[in-house]
Amino acid sequence: MTTTELMEITDRIMALPAAERAAIAQTVWQSIEEDEALIPPQSDAEAIATARRRDAEISQDRVSQRAHQEVMQNARRAIQCVHSRHPDYWKPRQ
């Protein structure tokens, strides 16, 4: 898919009402979750065990937490890095 085609699809999606955009986002995210090459499948028991392990790591100060705002700022900076490499994709939409 070309950058132009991707921009056109994105523009069409962004013109939709929020509920429809959310439905599309959920469908796309589910398709990513189902791609076993990207995210190895976990059973519910494995996912719960992972969550408990991570909770213990935080409780025992073995890992540090980051605030949502910090995570989002880092994500925005990363997007800006992509913007510098693909400026046409990130042009303001009209």
Side-chain angles (χ1 to χ4, degrees), residues 54-87:
R54 290 179 179 170
D55 181 59
E57 290 172 347
I58 292 169
S59 297
Q60 297 167 6
D61 289 328
R62 291 188 289 170
V63 297
S64 61
Q65 300 179 64
R66 293 180 13 196
H68 178 263
Q69 183 176 0
E70 179 186 353
V71 171
M72 295 307 294
Q73 286 173 342
N74 290 341
R76 288 184 189 103
R77 274 196 292 275
I79 289 170
Q80 289 302 317
C81 290
V82 171
H83 174 269
S84 66
R85 289 180 290 198
H86 304 285

Side-chain angles (χ1 to χ4, degrees), residues 24-63:
I24 291 170
Q26 184 176 16
T27 300
V28 170
W29 182 251
Q30 286 172 342
S31 74
I32 293 169
E33 286 181 325
E34 293 166 2
D35 188 338
E36 293 180 16
L38 296 175
I39 303 172
Q42 279 191 323
S43 67
D44 287 347
E46 290 170 322
I48 290 169
T50 298
R52 287 184 174 150
R53 177 182 53 77
R54 290 179 179 170
D55 181 59
E57 290 172 347
I58 292 169
S59 297
Q60 297 167 6
D61 289 328
R62 291 188 289 170
V63 297

